[in-house]
Amino acid sequence: MSIVLIRSLILYVLVIFAVRLMGKRQLGELQPSELVITILVSNIATLPIEDVNIPVIVGITPILALVCFEVIVSWLNLKFPKLRKMISGSPKIVIRDGKIDTHTLRELRFSVDDLLMALRGKDAFDLDDIQFAIVETTGNISVMKKPLRDAPRRQDLGVTAENTDPPQLIVSEGRFLENAADSLGIDRQLVMKLLSEEGLSLEDVLIMTADTSGRCFIADKNGDPPCIAEIGAESNDES
């Protein structure tokens, strides 16, 4: 049993390393070649675990070889677009100018139900709202709605807004995240002072985020309504 456990841990670490080396993608975002490598790696990794008579190196060697091969193929894809198109395919337009391309649907073996389900996943429930839709090489669908059916932008309404980065997490489950706070120019003393004004200690905080303007969102571990406050200013509670 101990041998199986050790083998499992070794291969577990190796597969994690292999997946990280290939890049951070969800399963639905994998290119065909990446998906094939992932399936092969998972199958090869199970062999030394199921049969203790198979040396661990027999599993490690092909996994490393496949990952190296995938890295090389990815590099070649960047250098040679024609090779990338041959291996991964190319995006296919299924709706153009609001018209459904039935020939492309047949080529992709997309049924009407498949198309509607993919569109609903993009919050497009009415076909009359869609100007353009394209099926990416990963199988995901990208949708552009008709200008008159799409949500207006601030620019369209004449509303001005500053370009700001999203808030960053600076306290997580009672732990002060120094690197994130430093990037915002916020030190621990300021955070402790603000929490004290809110009647909280650092250990009471579940989540605290802050943006570049010093605006903070604070939620405690008791499940009380969160509050909005500003570093260096009196806080205003908002539920």
Side-chain angles (χ1 to χ4, degrees):
M1 181 61 70
S2 60
I3 295 177
V4 174
L5 178 60
I6 294 172
R7 284 168 170 252
S8 301
L9 290 174
I10 292 173
L11 291 169
Y12 171 74
V13 172
L14 179 63
V15 172
I16 289 179
F17 169 76
V19 173
R20 287 293 303 274
L21 189 62
M22 288 191 296
K24 293 183 177 180
R25 292 182 187 242
Q26 298 180 7
L27 186 60
E29 298 174 346
L30 295 177
Q31 297 288 348
S33 61
E34 296 170 334
L35 180 59
V36 170
I37 295 295
T38 302
I39 294 172
L40 289 175
V41 166
S42 63
N43 287 336
I44 293 171
T46 61
L47 296 179
I49 298 175
E50 294 175 348
D51 190 349
V52 295
N53 294 320
I54 298 177
V56 177
I57 192 66
V58 173
I60 293 176
T61 303
I63 289 176
L64 292 177
L66 286 171
V67 171
C68 291
F69 177 73
E70 172 57 26
V71 171
I72 293 172
V73 170
S74 299
W75 181 82
L76 291 174
N77 285 340
L78 292 174
K79 294 293 184 180
F80 305 102
K82 290 184 178 180
L83 178 63
R84 180 171 66 248
K85 184 177 180 180
M86 182 176 64
I87 294 176
S88 300
S90 58
K92 301 291 184 181
I93 300 172
V94 291
I95 299 179
R96 187 197 299 269
D97 295 329
K99 301 176 183 178
I100 299 174
D101 190 331
T102 55
H103 174 74
T104 303
L105 286 180
R106 287 194 295 268
E107 182 181 342
L108 295 173
R109 293 187 292 278
F110 253 49
S111 67
V112 172
D113 289 337
D114 293 332
L115 177 62
L116 294 177
M117 180 175 65
L119 293 174
R120 288 195 296 269
K122 296 296 182 179
D123 296 326
F125 290 84
D126 190 343
L127 287 171
D128 192 39
D129 292 343
I130 302 170
Q131 173 71 19
F132 189 87
I134 184 169
V135 176
E136 308 292 353
T137 56
T138 59
N140 292 329
I141 192 167
S142 301
V143 176
M144 185 184 79
K145 292 185 178 181
K146 295 177 180 177
L148 292 178
R149 304 295 181 90
D150 204 1
R153 300 173 298 175
R154 288 190 178 94
Q155 184 179 10
D156 300 328
L157 300 175
V159 178
T160 59
E162 295 182 1
N163 295 324
T164 59
D165 294 333
Q168 295 190 49
L169 183 66
I170 60 174
V171 177
S172 174
E173 298 183 349
R175 185 167 55 92
F176 180 70
L177 306 179
E178 187 173 353
N179 290 338
D182 287 345
S183 68
L184 297 172
I186 299 173
D187 60 27
R188 186 186 185 96
Q189 185 177 357
L190 286 174
V191 171
M192 298 300 292
K193 180 181 178 182
L194 177 61
L195 293 177
S196 178
E197 292 173 355
E198 297 295 330
L200 296 169
S201 67
L202 188 64
E203 291 72 22
D204 295 329
V205 178
L206 177 66
I207 294 173
M208 180 176 178
T209 63
D211 59 21
T212 52
S213 67
R215 184 174 183 272
C216 301
F217 172 93
I218 307 170
D220 62 32
K221 295 180 180 179
N222 295 325
D224 295 329
C227 66
I228 304 297
E230 291 187 13
I231 293 288
E234 293 184 2
S235 60
N236 295 319
D237 291 348
E238 294 181 15
S239 58

